[in-house]
Every structure is written in structure tokens, then in C-alpha cells.
Amino acid sequence: MNTPNMVAREKTLTEFIIEEQRRFPQATGDFTALLNYVRIACKRIGHLVGRGALGATQGTTGIVNVQGEAQTPLDVIANDIFLRTSEYGGHLAAMASEEMAAPYPIPPEYPRGKYLLVFDPLDGSGNIDVNVSVGSIFSVLKRPDSPAGEDADVGEFLQPGAQQLCAGYAIYGPTTMLVLTVGRGVHGFTLDRGFGEFILTHPEMRVPEETSEFAINASNERFWEPPVKRYVAECLAGRGGPRAKDFNMRWIASMVAEVHRILVRGGLFMYPRDTKDPSRAGRLRLLYEANPMALIIEQAGGAASTGRERILGVVPTDLHQRVPVILGSKAEVERIARYHLEHEQGLDRPFSSPLFNERSLFTST
């Protein structure tokens, strides 16, 4: 029994993972060990991000990655940290990253395991130079039954998001946090820099059901589909519009930071399908960004959709497949999904405000 003089014992991430393992008597400990390596990788990356210009990791490398995006030095370093930290433990069959064109097989000198790790080593890296929060996103999949000793191929990674064993992200900001789900809710751990361990500080994180805040890149408004234009116009109309309340609009351009804000105080994040690049169905990567974040948001009571279907139900067809992403407070996601359906059925009645027709950047005259 606790006495007034006793201090509640802090639970570390390692202890939390071990406790989850003990819920399954048949568990071998491989999954627990794998998450421990991911934890170490995130700590190492967080340390480098925290050094800023002192670490000579800012600027660009002059290299364009497989996504067609300019790599920063820290993109390359973070990717290498994930690979080198996770490859030798004997728990993985292969890894796939946003920064690599093909899956990374475990080197032959190391034993191979039954899991696949996918990750975005440094989400929002374009914000590094301006000292805005960035992060790492990761997801673990079970490798399908394959002949012993054979390298994992691309097809083994192409699993719907609903089959993820766990997903998480690390956010490197004023504090470094690691947010994780293993399919039993969402929990946040803050790095105690004093002794280098993640401590459980945000148990059972939940997305508030109601919100008056949304995040979208308004500069792309002219490329949005009608359902998204309708939703944003209604929000901007405020108390005098059909929503009868005022909304705030945010945009950080770092998915990790956007999702973390939603988990803490609610809201909506949108990177919808648009016509800016007709060759792409969306902007964000399904395996490395959309699926992990969708699992986290759903486990926290929110919802995640492409606008037309549940993200976790999308069957991947390509390692670097892109999808539209709309996630956050459940009622708002469901509203936008309904607007997409009504538009396709010819039943929608887009809101049009005289004030916004005359003066808004979001509605053309």
C-alpha cells in the first residue's frame, strides 16, 4: 500500500512493452526486442535533431530521393540510423523506407526474423532549418510465410493497414516523445533526457469527438475537389454559416506535428486528392505515413479516410503508393466522407457565402 511519503513509480517504455508481451503467454519476445531497437533509433535521431546547426545536418545534399524530393543530410543520416540499429537483432526479414527505392534485405551475416519494418525516417525534414518540430514514423508488419532463407520481396510489404501489428511516431520538438499503439489504445512517452529513457506520460490518448480546428494547405485550394472546397467554405463561414461556429485553421507541413496536435487537443488534418499532379492519387505515402497514422488515430477513437474509403482498408499495389489523407475527430472525417459520396451521387449542395464570394481567397467569383 502506498503511503503519503511514497512517490508513484514511473513506467518506462521498455517496461510498458514487456507488460504488453506478458498478456500473450505464447510470445517469444522477438516483437518486444524489435520495438526496443526502434526506440533506440528514435533516441539517436532525436539527439541529432536537437543539435541543429551544431550537428552540421542542415541544408540539402543535392540528391533527389525516389519520391522526387530533395534530401537533407539528416534524411540520409536518419535512414541509416534506422537500418543500422535494427538490422542485426535477428527479428526482421527486411525493411522499407521512404528514402529507398526498394526494400532493404537483412545482410546475410545477421539472422532473419518474422517481421517487416517500414518507416519514414524524418517526416517534415523541410522544416529542420527553421526549427519546427519534425519526427519519425514507423510500422511493423508480420512477414507472410515464405521459404526459409529467401529475401523478402516487395509483395510481402503490400498489406492493408489493418494488418499492422503496431505503429508509432517520434516527435522531436521542445520535448522528444514517442507515441505508440500495439492495437490496445494509444500511449505517449516523453524522453527524460536526464537518464535517457522514455517515460509514460500520456496513457490512453483519445481524439476529442468534437473540434473547431482543421489543418490544410490552403495554397492548393484551386486544385481541391468540390467536397473539400465545400467543407472548408463551411468552416470559414463561422457562426453565420451552416456549421454555426467559428473554426481555426492550422498548417505546419509536418504530419507528425499535425497528428500529435490532434491527439492532444482534437482537430482534423487533410491532405486530400487534388488536380495539382493528375498522375498522383494523393500526396502522402500509404505504407510509411498514412497507414501508421491511421492506425494510431483509429486506436485513439478518431477516424481516417481517403474521402472515399477507410485508409486501413486500402490494399497497396506499390511500395511507394500515395493516397489522399483525411484524419482526426471522427465526426468531421465522417462529414467529409459524406460530402464525397453526395458529390458523386449528384446530391450535394455546396455552401456559397456572399461574403466569401466577394473577398475570400478560397472561393472564386
Side-chain angles (χ1 to χ4, degrees):
M1 178 181 298
N2 289 339
T3 67
N5 294 326
M6 292 180 66
V7 177
R9 186 171 181 273
E10 296 178 326
K11 182 181 295 185
T12 68
L13 174 58
T14 301
E15 290 168 337
F16 174 85
I17 296 171
I18 291 173
E19 286 183 4
E20 288 297 309
Q21 175 190 321
R22 287 172 179 167
R23 296 178 185 273
F24 304 92
Q26 72 278 16
T28 62
D30 286 350
F31 182 69
T32 299
L34 171 57
L35 290 184
N36 188 53
Y37 289 122
V38 171
R39 172 187 68 88
I40 294 171
C42 291
K43 282 175 58 178
R44 290 173 173 171
I45 295 169
H47 174 72
L48 290 175
V49 171
R51 296 200 67 203
L54 298 175
T57 56
Q58 299 190 336
T60 62
T61 62
I63 300 172
V64 176
N65 66 12
V66 65
Q67 311 292 339
E69 299 166 346
Q71 285 183 326
T72 70
L74 202 48
D75 282 319
V76 178
I77 295 170
N79 190 75
D80 191 62
I81 286 174
F82 261 99
L83 297 180
R84 302 298 166 241
T85 304
S86 307
E87 66 182 357
Y88 65 88
H91 315 295
L92 290 172
M95 291 178 268
S97 163
E98 178 184 326
E99 300 298 330
M100 302 185 298
Y104 176 85
I106 300 303
E109 62 266 29
Y110 301 131
R112 296 182 181 180
K114 55 187 177 183
Y115 299 110
L116 303 171
L117 178 65
V118 298
F119 56 89
D120 178 352
L122 197 64
D123 173 74
S125 59
N127 287 323
I128 285 289
D129 289 351
V130 294
N131 205 21
V132 171
S133 295
V134 297
S136 302
I137 308 172
F138 61 89
S139 169
V140 177
L141 298 164
K142 179 74 177 295
R143 185 187 188 189
D145 291 335
S146 302
E150 288 193 6
D151 289 341
D153 59 32
V154 171
E156 296 181 43
F157 286 89
L158 304 183
Q159 303 179 36
Q163 295 180 212
Q164 295 172 104
L165 299 179
C166 86
Y169 65 81
I171 181 168
Y172 314 119
T175 59
T176 293
M177 286 189 65
L178 194 149
V179 176
L180 178 73
T181 180
V182 292
R184 292 172 49 85
V186 178
H187 307 275
F189 303 81
T190 300
L191 180 62
D192 185 331
R193 294 188 174 96
F195 69 103
E197 182 56 273
F198 285 99
I199 304 298
L200 179 62
T201 52
H202 295 66
E204 300 293 346
M205 300 179 78
R206 302 291 294 177
V207 177
E209 294 184 6
E210 300 295 331
T211 184
S212 58
E213 191 168 274
F214 67 97
I216 193 168
N217 185 352
S219 69
N220 289 328
E221 184 271 340
R222 65 193 183 279
F223 303 112
W224 295 339
E225 295 182 307
V228 175
K229 290 184 179 180
R230 174 186 175 185
Y231 177 84
V232 173
E234 290 180 355
C235 292
L236 293 176
R239 292 183 182 275
R243 302 301 304 276
K245 65 177 179 179
D246 294 326
F247 281 77
N248 291 322
M249 183 166 62
R250 310 293 185 198
W251 187 248
I252 304 175
S254 169
M255 189 182 190
V256 165
E258 304 280 9
V259 170
H260 191 70
R261 184 184 64 246
I262 289 170
L263 282 173
V264 173
R265 70 184 194 197
L268 186 74
F269 170 78
M270 293 183 282
Y271 219 132
R273 175 182 293 182
D274 59 38
T275 60
K276 188 173 184 179
D277 184 347
S279 68
R280 293 178 175 176
R283 168 71 175 175
L284 300 176
R285 271 65 55 160
L286 176 61
L287 292 182
Y288 316 109
E289 296 169 317
N291 273 344
M293 292 308 201
L295 183 62
I296 290 169
I297 290 293
E298 285 199 7
Q299 283 291 312
S305 172
T306 67
R308 293 170 172 82
E309 62 182 316
R310 181 188 179 215
I311 286 176
L312 295 181
V314 176
V315 179
T317 57
D318 182 80
L319 192 65
H320 300 291
Q321 181 176 341
R322 297 174 186 253
V323 293
V325 173
I326 300 167
L327 57 76
S329 296
K330 190 173 183 179
E332 299 303 306
V333 175
E334 290 177 344
R335 176 183 289 268
I336 298 177
R338 186 176 78 247
Y339 286 2
H340 279 82
L341 180 61
E342 290 176 355
H343 177 71
E344 291 175 354
Q345 295 177 340
L347 301 175
D348 58 329
R349 296 291 184 270
F351 172 72
S352 179
S353 164
L355 171 62
F356 286 96
N357 280 339
E358 293 290 333
R359 303 178 183 179
S360 174
L361 295 175
F362 302 96
T363 309
S364 58
T365 56

